[in-house]
Amino acid sequence: MFLALALLAGVGACDPQRPAAGTTGYASGFAGAVVADEPRAALAARDILSTGGGAVDAAVALAFTMAVTNPSSAGLGGGGVCMVRDPKVPTVETLEFYATAPAQIAPGTPRPSAVPGLPRGLYALHAKYGKVRWEQLLASAETLARFGNTVSRSLAQDLTLITEPLLQDAEIRRVFADGTGRILQEGAPLAQIDLAATIGRIRLRGPGEFYLGQAARDLVAAVTAAGGSLSLEDLRDYAPRWIDTLQVPFGTNVAHFAPPPAGGGVAGQMWAMLVDGERYTRLADDDRHHLMAQVAMRAYADRTVWMKPDGTSSVPAPDLVTPARVTGLMASYNSERFVQVPHPNPAITENPAGTGFTVVDSRGLAVSCVLSMNNLFGIGRIAPGTGMVLAAAPHPGGRGPYALAPMMVVKRNVPEMIFAGTGTGGPPAASALVATAARTILGRRLLAEAVMAPRLHAGMTPDLVVVETAGQPQVTDGLGKRGYTLGVMGKFGRVNAVGCPDGLPPRPDTCEAVNDPRASGIGMIVNGG
């Protein structure tokens, strides 16, 4: 192996026009694609792909950078879920590393905080699929935190949403307010020295000390000082988990979803209803709006039956998408008119905070992750001396991973990926992602067109369909004639996706990397010289 690396380095050195292996610009031709809600984090992933790193390497760099540039939705104190497709592996894998509730929360704890999942989760991801050294992947995030960057548009928007409660915390004020005590605006300089030191520890020593060593003891003391809830036992016992995906075969493809407590239960059921008997494919566009509303209503209503208080399923996850269950869900469907779908139990409240990204590389390896702090800025406090925004402890009232929705579609008999994406933004996350995937995969539209199309969301109440303002009148007219009660909102749901309709790796020229215009992110195809 060392000889091979030396030979590769030698080849690069012999060509004065080409950078050396492992440096930015080394990759030639199609190096991959990346799409994310925050541009600087996406650029960190681009740089790793440009050095010849793989999709998982780029994803790790992106996530740690996001902890610096967009800590409202992603941070060291938070967690998430990733789906990975390696052409060398027969199927897609899911890695859960949610920010979980501590074993005990003392009575009267004002803002219970979660057990951090991100460092160990990303380390597990890298240990299985990474190629580039761990230390190199975290360097950009540490540098940004230490020497400063500017407040991005996405972070500025989140800061504006909850300015008053955020400024109640002295550590938050010290980092995210200016000298006059006002919240930082877009473009303002932002340095996070304490966070840089924490990332530096993880970069040099791995996450082991973060969960077991002196850093763990320091973290517990800091969380206690911030009014949160954490113990050394919580950190020691925390472990990410590799699990099977929820699978829906259709035609020559298979759609993969992250099973509950992530949003894949709802998304998987919606997809199963759309592809059953090619139901979606056989309809005209106007009729598809009605179908999307009906399958969403049925999936969200069924969730009130199978979801347990902790977000997991009361039945085995694969049973959620069996032909028998799908047939039962669609039994009352009428293609001509609205049919009310009662909710057997109260609807589940979902927090809209979260961020999603997808990275693919030239080998066809793809990774889609959704990260969350279980609330916007978690509990709204920073653990002193760590720079870490603390995630909120999950609970059935809406602070959990229920709206985190990654999805991948791969060919059944050959190792090729055709779609990888994420949905975020609370209750509409799953329906937005499924509608986008349906338009581009089943409806054969360009991915950019599918992402930008007007959205609708149904299912949180038995008879209401909410449509984006941009969806009038082409969506509302058809639904109104079928008897729906309609509501209108400005915009909702965020989808970031990479689509390769002719398959990746063989046809990268067909790939699109599209970020949702409803957010402030970026999508790009990465090509070397």
Side-chain angles (χ1 to χ4, degrees), residues 350-396:
E350 298 168 77
N351 192 281
T355 184
F357 63 85
T358 291
V359 187
V360 303
D361 63 30
S362 59
R363 297 185 297 124
L365 193 148
V367 55
S368 289
C369 301
V370 187
L371 309 179
S372 176
M373 300 290 284
N374 292 336
N375 194 32
L376 197 64
F377 286 98
I379 66 170
R381 294 182 180 179
I382 290 177
T386 70
M388 285 175 44
V389 178
L390 298 178
H395 62 76

Side-chain angles (χ1 to χ4, degrees), residues 69-371:
T69 61
N70 202 41
S72 52
S73 298
L76 302 187
V81 58
C82 291
M83 294 175 61
V84 185
R85 167 66 173 178
D86 186 341
K88 297 178 181 178
V89 178
T91 188
V92 179
E93 296 185 281
T94 300
L95 177 65
E96 294 181 340
F97 51 101
Y98 302 123
T100 56
Q104 293 185 342
I105 299 175
T109 301
R111 301 185 189 182
S113 58
V115 183
L118 191 90
R120 248 186 194 162
L122 295 178
Y123 196 78
L125 187 67
H126 178 263
K128 190 164 189 176
Y129 291 104
K131 299 195 305 178
V132 178
R133 287 176 60 88
W134 174 259
E135 295 92 333
Q136 182 177 341
L137 301 179
L138 276 62
S140 175
E142 182 184 357
T143 298
L144 277 175
R146 187 176 305 281
F147 297 106
N149 60 302
T150 56
V151 175
S152 67
R153 178 166 300 175
S154 57
L155 176 57
Q157 290 170 342
D158 288 345
L159 287 167
T160 301
L161 285 174
I162 53 172
T163 295
E164 187 173 342
L166 275 181
L167 292 180
Q168 301 304 308
D169 181 62
E171 288 294 310
I172 289 280
R173 288 198 306 273
R174 189 170 66 84
V175 176
F176 295 111
D178 62 20
T180 66
R182 294 181 301 180
I183 208 76
L184 296 179
Q185 302 297 307
E186 180 182 352
L190 173 64
Q192 301 169 78
I193 305 301
D194 290 342
L195 182 59
T198 301
I199 294 174
R201 274 182 168 183
I202 298 170
R203 180 176 68 83
L204 294 173
R205 303 173 186 174
E209 185 179 331
F210 184 89
Y211 288 89
L212 297 171
Q214 182 60 46
R217 292 187 284 273
D218 293 343
L219 177 58
V220 169
V223 170
T224 302
S229 44
L230 189 67
S231 71
L232 285 172
E233 290 74 23
D234 291 327
L235 289 171
R236 180 198 64 200
D237 296 340
Y238 184 87
R241 190 168 69 120
W242 289 101
I243 59 173
D244 294 334
T245 61
L246 186 64
Q247 301 183 24
V248 181
F250 66 102
T252 59
N253 305 313
V254 181
H256 294 262
F257 303 88
V266 169
Q269 285 190 323
M270 289 181 65
W271 189 261
M273 286 183 268
L274 292 180
V275 299
D276 181 41
E278 298 185 340
R279 193 176 271 118
Y280 182 94
T281 307
R282 292 186 284 106
L283 294 177
D285 282 349
D286 289 345
D287 297 323
R288 287 171 176 172
H289 300 313
H290 168 57
L291 175 63
M292 288 300 304
Q294 285 289 299
V295 301
M297 286 182 170
R298 284 161 167 73
Y300 281 95
D302 194 44
R303 187 177 67 170
T304 70
V305 175
W306 55 256
M307 181 181 273
K308 296 190 293 186
D310 65 355
T312 58
S313 177
S314 60
V315 301
D319 291 353
L320 296 175
V321 293
T322 59
R325 196 174 191 108
V326 171
T327 298
L329 290 173
M330 292 297 287
S332 65
Y333 172 69
N334 186 308
S335 62
E336 301 299 325
R337 61 179 177 84
F338 161 73
V339 176
Q340 183 168 321
V341 182
H343 283 209
N345 297 301
I348 288 88
T349 303
E350 298 168 77
N351 192 281
T355 184
F357 63 85
T358 291
V359 187
V360 303
D361 63 30
S362 59
R363 297 185 297 124
L365 193 148
V367 55
S368 289
C369 301
V370 187
L371 309 179

Side-chain angles (χ1 to χ4, degrees), residues 438-464:
R439 287 190 183 99
T440 190
I441 298 170
L442 306 178
R444 300 186 180 281
R445 302 290 181 86
L446 291 174
L447 179 57
E449 180 184 349
V451 170
M452 295 178 66
R455 294 191 181 133
L456 61 85
H457 177 65
M460 296 311 293
T461 59
D463 61 351
L464 177 67

Side-chain angles (χ1 to χ4, degrees), residues 33-39 42 358 496-498 512-516 520-526:
V34 57
V35 56
D37 283 330
E38 203 286 309
T358 291
N496 290 323
V498 175
E512 295 178 82
V514 181
N515 66 291
D516 201 315
S520 303
I522 190 171
M524 67 187 82
I525 301 295
V526 183

